[in-house]
Every structure is written in structure tokens, then in C-alpha cells.
Amino acid sequence: MTSVEEPARPGERERVRDAVRTQAEILDVATQEFARAGYDGARVDEIAARTRTTKRMIYYYFGGKEQLFTAVLERAYGVIREAEQQLDVEHLDPVAAIRRLAEVTFDHHEQHPDFIRLVSIENIHEAQHIAASEKLGRIGSPALDVIRRILEEGRRSGLFTAQVDAVDLHAMISSFCFFRVSNRHTFGALFGRDLVDPAQRAHYRTMLGDMVIAYLTAERAAD
Amino acid sequence: MTSVEEPARPGERERVRDAVRTQAEILDVATQEFARAGYDGARVDEIAARTRTTKRMIYYYFGGKEQLFTAVLERAYGVIREAEQQLDVEHLDPVAAIRRLAEVTFDHHEQHPDFIRLVSIENIHEAQHIAASEKLGRIGSPALDVIRRILEEGRRSGLFTAQVDAVDLHAMISSFCFFRVSNRHTFGALFGRDLVDPAQRAHYRTMLGDMVIAYLTAERAAD
DNA sequence: TCACTAATGTACGAACTAGTACGTTAGCTA
DNA sequence: TAGCTAACGTACTAGTTCGTACATTAGTGA
């Protein structure tokens, strides 16, 4: 997550009052605290205490706990969007492109466990904050357009047999990546296997790619 | 979830004091309340109010909010275990057996959204209640043994090419089933597609089966 | 039927928690 | 440099929430 450390914006000398920096600092700490404890478990006082400013400022800039959480989600999804816009796989052949896309998705989930937790938390609250956000409604995903084009190309060249839709394929890839991180604690406790064990990382990454490619290229019975 | 209605245990006339019934009623309501609001969002007073008994009894029988949540998880996992023990797929050929197992898993997730929510919530708390439970540590899953035997048979008969482990295959199947339910709200809000739309149920159920079978039967490059 | 205890209800308290009223000041601009 | 306002801090409150002290009774076994 983009964090605001001491030398906020180089060139400008550190001012005592800096609206942009204060807001960013609040968002940083709030992201951690909400991800750690959930919406109801998070404490506004605790967020304020871990900031260089006070609780007063949270209400001044964000209005309240609910809106703060919404702002946290907006920024978190913004980071994902940016990463997905860097996606550069369309110079590859369809099979390699999809595998690469799956791997990038896999890596991204692994690198952002806080984001995964925020999304889990938001689902417990039935996405009410996303619904309340102007920025996030039907935001979609840049990755989706990429998938759409690769699927198109793969079907035209006869490599892909499956009649999948881009959104469904995205769901399939995401579900594995997301579950591996989001459910690692219960899964580990019940089955004694750590899905995020670094030693198993390559194994699961390959497994995901194999699964998706096998699905897309399998000869299917007439349906 | 097993709910305790008026004619608790037939044959016995309804007593005013009934320890078994009171505890079961508390667990029923607590399951709903924790699943609805999360651990920190749930209110002990609210649980008590929706019961025929009082808050005093929750502390009398369970000790506290934490232990109540643990008891809720224990019972919820118990229900899953029972269902999995009914699993009867080993008379089928390996391909049909795995597909059937995937379908049963799919159906079970769909039918128990509260359980999915409880598991999501427990993951936010890093499975600390499962860790604290004597009943739940390394409980495993009856389905796992079934998967193990089917995989064995499938490999021996040459139908399955993939070198998967039963636990990993279980993770693969669960991830799709779980994500579809757990993340339906954010996914729906962002992509405008309801993963739990009844009209799409058969579609996703087939998709899961196709995916798993394609993975298990794909001709793999030497690895 | 009597006494004993598991089961239960009432009322309360201490600590917490989101949110705010009120006052102050840094830094920019005219 | 004077004045204005966005940015900020302190101290407080009203309402909530987990947990418990204390009193009571239904049902059971001797």
C-alpha cells in the first residue's frame, strides 16, 4: 500500500500543517487497522493514536467511521487498478498470455493480504460501502478487457475450446488466488497445511496455470 | 442449521427448565447473529433478546462471548462433517465420482451461506477460536479420504494424469465454491454479475466440474 | 413431601467508544 | 505585516456493551 513516510513530497520542506499528508497518513493507518480487526473491531481512537494527528481530524476530513472505511476501500481498489493497467501480456500467444495473467493475479493476491482482508470484511457487510461509493460502483477491472481480448484471439485460432465468458474466467482465477490467502488460517488449522508456505508458492502458482489452461483447451463433449 | 423449534423432543412434555433446549436455542440464535454481523458486530444482548432465555444463561452455559463463538463454530463444522459422511460416490468411475463430489461440495456451499460467513469471519480473526477448540484442531474432513481414494483409483486406471494431492484438490474445489458465495457482494457490485443468481446455478456447477476434470485428465508436458 | 441443586431472572456497573463543542494557530495572501 | 481561514488540539458526553452480584424457583431424588 502506498505509505506516507517522513519525506512526504521531496523538494517541499516539511510543514507542520499539511492537509494532503494528514489525510494520507490517516488512510494508511486506517487501512491497517480495518484490515487487522474488521470494521466493527477497528477503533477510531486507535487509528487516531497511531497517527501524528488526532481523532478530530478523521471526522474533519472523512466525516465518520463509515466514510473512512469507504475511503480506505476506494484507495485500495485504486491500487489494484493501477497494477492491472500495467498488465502487458497481449504480445504473447493466447495460452501463454492467460497463464501469465493468472500468475500476475496470483502474485498480486499474495503481495496484498491486507487488501484481501478488506474485501472479505466488505463482503461480510454485503458490499454496502462500495454501494455507497460513487467511485466504486460498477468500476469493473482493466484485467477484464485484457481477458476478453485474449479469449477472443484464443477462440479464433482454435486453441481454446471452452465457451467461457471473461467475467467467469476472472472469477475462476480470482477464486483460487483469493481463497488461498483469505482462508489460509482456517484451512491451515483444519488440514495442517499452510497454503501460503513460501516453499509451496511455485507449486500452487503452477497448479493454477495448469488448471486454467486445461479448462480452456480441453476437448469438450458436445454441450 | 439444526434449529430447535417448539416441540423440542417429542414424547417429553415441554418443561419450563430444559438445559439442552436452552443451550441449543442460544446456539441457533448466536449462529445467525454472528454470521450476520461478524464477531465484533454481534451483540450478546441482541442474541439473548432473541432467545426465550436471558443473557445470564449465555454466561452460565458458555462462559463468554468468545467461547460462545467457538461453540457456534464447533457445531457448524459438525454439520458439515455429518453431510460429508453421507457422501456416496465410490461406486462411480473416477471421473464421474470427482464430478459428483465437486457438485455436492458446490451444493453444500450454496445451501449454507451462514457457514461460509462464519468461516470468513473466523479467518479475519486468524482462526484463533478454532485453535482454542479441542474439538476442531486438525479435524480434517471426511471428504478428504474419499478424494484420496478416488485419486488413487483414477491414477491407477490411467484416467488421471495430474499429480495432485487430495488436500490440494480439495482446496481447488472449495476455493471456487467458497468464493462464489463469500465474495458475491463485492463481485456483484464491481462487475454487475450475481454469482449466486439461481438462473446461473447450473452453469457454474457445470463449469466447476469441467474445470476439475479438465485439470485431472489433461495431457501434461513432462514436469 | 422435603430438601437440595441446577437452572433461571433482575438489576446494575465499569469500561469503552463514536462523535462533538469549543477554542487555537500556522501559513497564505493582499 | 495584518488579517483571514483552513487546519488542528483538548476535553467532554451520551450511549452502548460485556460481564456479574444477588436473589429466586423448578424439578428431582431420598
Side-chain angles (χ1 to χ4, degrees):
Chain A
M1 210 106 290
T2 46
S3 66
V4 208
E5 293 310 317
E6 299 307 317
R9 285 162 296 164
E12 301 179 23
R13 74 176 227 278
E14 180 94 335
R15 292 198 305 292
V16 175
R17 299 182 170 196
D18 187 328
V20 174
R21 192 200 59 200
T22 301
Q23 290 177 58
E25 199 178 335
I26 291 172
L27 281 177
D28 280 341
V29 176
T31 298
Q32 288 172 33
E33 177 70 1
F34 280 124
R36 183 186 67 78
Y39 178 79
D40 290 292
R43 298 288 162 241
V44 177
D45 281 300
E46 176 64 20
I47 293 170
R50 286 167 49 198
T51 293
R52 272 181 292 182
T53 184
T54 64
K55 186 166 57 158
R56 175 74 183 74
M57 288 292 96
I58 293 175
Y59 289 88
Y60 183 68
Y61 285 121
F62 298 95
K65 193 181 179 182
E66 296 266 358
Q67 295 100 305
L68 176 60
F69 186 66
T70 301
V72 164
L73 284 176
E74 283 170 352
R75 207 183 52 157
Y77 274 108
V79 173
I80 304 285
R81 283 189 75 79
E82 274 180 47
E84 287 184 350
Q85 267 152 4
Q86 306 305 317
L87 219 54
D88 175 35
V89 299
E90 294 184 67
H91 60 286
L92 299 166
D93 72 286
V95 170
I98 286 287
R99 184 178 284 272
R100 182 88 193 94
L101 181 111
E103 289 173 350
V104 170
T105 305
F106 182 94
D107 294 344
H108 196 274
H109 279 73
E110 171 144 320
Q111 284 156 20
H112 296 89
D114 273 5
F115 174 72
I116 309 286
R117 294 173 67 91
L118 290 173
V119 173
S120 286
I121 291 159
E122 176 66 353
N123 271 292
I124 292 299
H125 296 278
E126 299 177 339
Q128 62 169 102
H129 305 94
I130 291 180
S133 163
E134 296 190 0
K135 282 190 196 169
L136 292 176
R138 289 270 190 143
I139 193 184
S141 151
L144 225 49
D145 298 318
V146 177
I147 295 179
R148 240 184 291 270
R149 288 193 294 268
I150 303 173
L151 278 181
E152 178 73 22
E153 171 64 18
R155 269 195 290 263
R156 195 173 46 207
S157 63
L159 285 165
F160 294 166
T161 55
Q163 295 298 317
V164 232
D165 164 49
V167 175
D168 288 347
L169 189 67
H170 179 64
M172 181 187 279
I173 295 170
S174 296
S175 65
F176 185 80
C177 298
F178 196 95
F179 181 92
R180 177 169 159 272
V181 177
S182 72
N183 285 42
R184 70 174 178 279
H185 297 109
T186 56
F187 199 91
L190 294 174
F191 301 113
R193 178 162 309 182
D194 179 10
L195 293 174
V196 208
D197 178 1
Q200 295 298 314
R201 204 184 94 89
H203 164 68
Y204 286 119
R205 200 159 174 265
T206 303
M207 182 172 150
L208 168 66
D210 288 350
M211 178 191 86
V212 176
I213 298 303
Y215 174 71
L216 288 173
T217 62
E219 59 271 22
R220 191 102 50 232
D223 49 353
Chain B
M1 208 106 288
T2 47
S3 66
V4 207
E5 294 309 317
E6 299 307 316
R9 285 161 297 164
E12 300 179 22
R13 74 176 227 280
E14 179 95 335
R15 293 198 303 292
V16 175
R17 299 184 169 196
D18 188 328
V20 174
R21 192 200 58 199
T22 300
Q23 290 176 57
E25 199 179 332
I26 291 171
L27 280 178
D28 281 340
V29 177
T31 298
Q32 288 171 32
E33 177 70 0
F34 279 124
R36 185 187 65 79
Y39 178 78
D40 290 291
R43 298 288 162 243
V44 177
D45 282 300
E46 175 65 20
I47 293 169
R50 287 168 48 197
T51 294
R52 272 180 293 181
T53 185
T54 63
K55 186 167 56 159
R56 175 75 182 74
M57 290 291 96
I58 292 174
Y59 288 89
Y60 183 69
Y61 284 121
F62 298 96
K65 192 181 179 183
E66 296 264 359
Q67 295 100 306
L68 176 61
F69 186 66
T70 301
V72 164
L73 284 177
E74 283 170 351
R75 208 182 52 157
Y77 274 109
V79 173
I80 304 285
R81 282 189 75 79
E82 274 181 47
E84 288 185 350
Q85 266 152 5
Q86 308 304 319
L87 220 54
D88 175 35
V89 298
E90 295 183 66
H91 60 284
L92 300 166
D93 73 285
V95 169
I98 285 288
R99 183 179 285 272
R100 182 89 193 93
L101 182 111
E103 289 172 351
V104 170
T105 305
F106 182 95
D107 294 343
H108 196 275
H109 279 73
E110 171 144 319
Q111 284 156 21
H112 296 89
D114 272 6
F115 174 72
I116 309 286
R117 293 174 68 91
L118 291 173
V119 173
S120 285
I121 291 159
E122 176 65 353
N123 272 293
I124 293 299
H125 294 89
E126 297 177 341
Q128 64 169 100
H129 304 94
I130 291 180
S133 163
E134 296 190 0
K135 284 190 194 166
L136 292 177
R138 288 269 192 144
I139 194 184
S141 152
L144 224 48
D145 298 317
V146 177
I147 295 179
R148 240 185 292 270
R149 288 193 294 270
I150 302 173
L151 279 180
E152 178 72 22
E153 172 64 17
R155 269 196 290 262
R156 196 174 45 208
S157 63
L159 285 165
F160 294 166
T161 54
Q163 294 298 316
V164 231
D165 164 49
V167 176
D168 288 347
L169 189 68
H170 179 64
M172 181 188 279
I173 294 170
S174 297
S175 64
F176 185 80
C177 298
F178 196 96
F179 181 92
R180 178 168 158 273
V181 177
S182 70
N183 285 42
R184 70 174 177 281
H185 297 109
T186 55
F187 199 91
L190 294 175
F191 302 113
R193 177 163 309 182
D194 180 10
L195 293 173
V196 208
D197 178 1
Q200 295 299 312
R201 205 184 93 89
H203 164 68
Y204 286 118
R205 202 159 173 266
T206 304
M207 182 171 151
L208 168 67
D210 288 349
M211 177 190 87
V212 175
I213 299 303
Y215 174 70
L216 288 173
T217 62
E219 60 270 20
R220 192 100 53 231
D223 49 352

